[in-house]
Amino acid sequence: MGLIDAIYKWLKDNLGKTTDTANSTGSLHAKIAELRTYINSLVSTRQKPRGTVASGNFSTNQTTYQTALNIAGKGKLVGLYATVCTGAYSSKVKVTIDGTFVCYGWAGGSETQTIFTCYPDKSFIFKNTEFLENDMVNMTQLYLDPMVDPRNAELAFKTSLKIELSNKFGQGAKCGWIYELE
Amino acid sequence: MSYFIVPVNDGLLDIDYYYLIEGIQISATQCYVALREGFTVRDTWEEITEEQFNEVKALINEPLEIV
């Protein structure tokens, strides 16, 4: 009986009960509960399946930033393009996530054609250097510079997403987007 | 889909952007919009027809050929 008692006690101490409280140093049941709690904490920080997928576009002939999109919620901007219209030379999009300016995008063109820039296309420029805001020439030079890496931005948002659009001479600019919300 | 002329205040359209499908802005104070269903009409909006919306699209230059 002594051996059986010892085995029972070992099992009781190490396996524990299903009702054991989560504890990383407790019984096996307690450890599993602790692990479940940890996994849940990880999963809850990841993007959930999408509840809403919406697309749209916006055109303007204004030379100051106009708000093309302004939404609240948690989700991800999964597609974004900017282009210019006939007679225009450049347009800029400005992306603000959770109230914080993140990056600019840029589209440039000649009189007859435009360079298409679309996230996540590698040629889409996302730069957060503040001087680019007021200096299109510098932006153009950076774009043409093969040494510049046009980094893409992380476009998941927790509370809000805002896209603004402007064009340089007022002939017209257009941007479009696709976003997902939880 | 419904079409409206909506005010623009300091670059911000007077709409719930969740419903924006297409916006055409040709002045600093007004924007022509096409909205998906579910929106709530605001007093400041003026409803227009699809034909009127398409007419104003012609006032802004076409996007250039993409290369």
Side-chain angles (χ1 to χ4, degrees):
Chain A
M1 291 297 290
L3 179 60
I4 292 176
D5 284 343
I7 292 172
Y8 176 73
K9 183 177 185 308
W10 184 87
L11 289 172
K12 184 180 177 184
D13 291 345
N14 287 279
L15 292 180
K17 300 176 181 176
T18 56
T19 54
D20 283 355
T21 304
N23 186 337
S24 61
T25 59
S27 68
L28 188 56
H29 276 111
K31 286 186 173 74
I32 290 173
E34 168 78 8
L35 191 58
R36 289 185 58 168
T37 302
Y38 175 67
I39 290 172
N40 283 337
S41 71
L42 291 178
V43 170
S44 66
T45 64
R46 302 292 296 272
Q47 186 64 53
K48 295 178 181 176
R50 313 305 177 188
T52 301
V53 178
S55 63
N57 66 75
F58 178 78
S59 302
T60 184
N61 60 4
Q62 301 296 299
T63 56
T64 58
Y65 277 114
Q66 305 296 306
T67 303
L69 179 69
N70 188 27
I71 56 170
K74 184 178 181 182
K76 189 173 186 180
L77 178 64
V78 294
L80 174 65
Y81 73 81
T83 186
V84 294
C85 299
T86 307
Y89 288 93
S90 57
S91 65
K92 291 189 291 183
V93 288
K94 181 179 178 182
V95 181
T96 301
I97 289 175
D98 300 334
T100 301
F101 160 72
V102 173
C103 53
Y104 295 107
W106 172 85
S110 66
E111 291 184 357
T112 56
Q113 57 188 201
T114 183
I115 299 167
F116 183 63
T117 57
C118 177
Y119 180 83
D121 187 293
K122 65 179 182 180
S123 64
F124 194 93
I125 296 177
F126 281 109
K127 289 291 182 182
N128 59 9
T129 308
E130 193 62 33
F131 77 89
L132 293 178
E133 164 74 359
N134 298 313
D135 196 339
M136 191 67 75
V137 174
N138 282 343
M139 184 174 275
T140 305
Q141 289 171 341
L142 280 174
Y143 180 79
L144 297 174
D145 185 347
M147 299 304 290
V148 174
D149 175 21
R151 293 171 297 167
N152 288 327
E154 175 56 57
L155 295 175
F157 53 92
K158 292 180 178 177
T159 59
S160 65
L161 168 66
K162 185 177 185 180
I163 299 171
E164 296 166 277
L165 175 70
S166 72
N167 65 122
K168 193 171 184 181
F169 298 118
Q171 291 93 340
K174 184 177 184 179
C175 71
W177 58 84
I178 300 174
Y179 65 84
E180 300 171 332
L181 288 176
E182 283 191 9
Chain B
M1 195 182 308
S2 300
Y3 304 89
F4 296 92
I5 301 173
V6 302
V8 178
N9 303 310
D10 294 328
L12 187 67
L13 278 60
D14 181 29
I15 61 171
D16 184 338
Y17 278 90
Y18 285 111
Y19 303 104
L20 180 63
I21 295 175
E22 185 168 10
I24 306 290
Q25 184 185 13
I26 57 172
S27 82
T29 57
Q30 284 187 325
C31 186
Y32 291 70
V33 296
L35 302 179
R36 61 176 56 87
E37 296 307 316
F39 59 85
T40 301
V41 177
R42 299 181 183 179
D43 294 338
T44 53
W45 295 2
E46 177 187 342
E47 188 164 13
I48 58 174
T49 65
E50 182 177 0
E51 289 70 28
Q52 289 173 300
F53 182 81
N54 289 332
E55 285 173 9
V56 81
K57 286 175 73 171
L59 298 178
I60 198 161
N61 294 337
E62 287 292 313
L64 289 169
E65 178 188 359
I66 294 168
V67 294

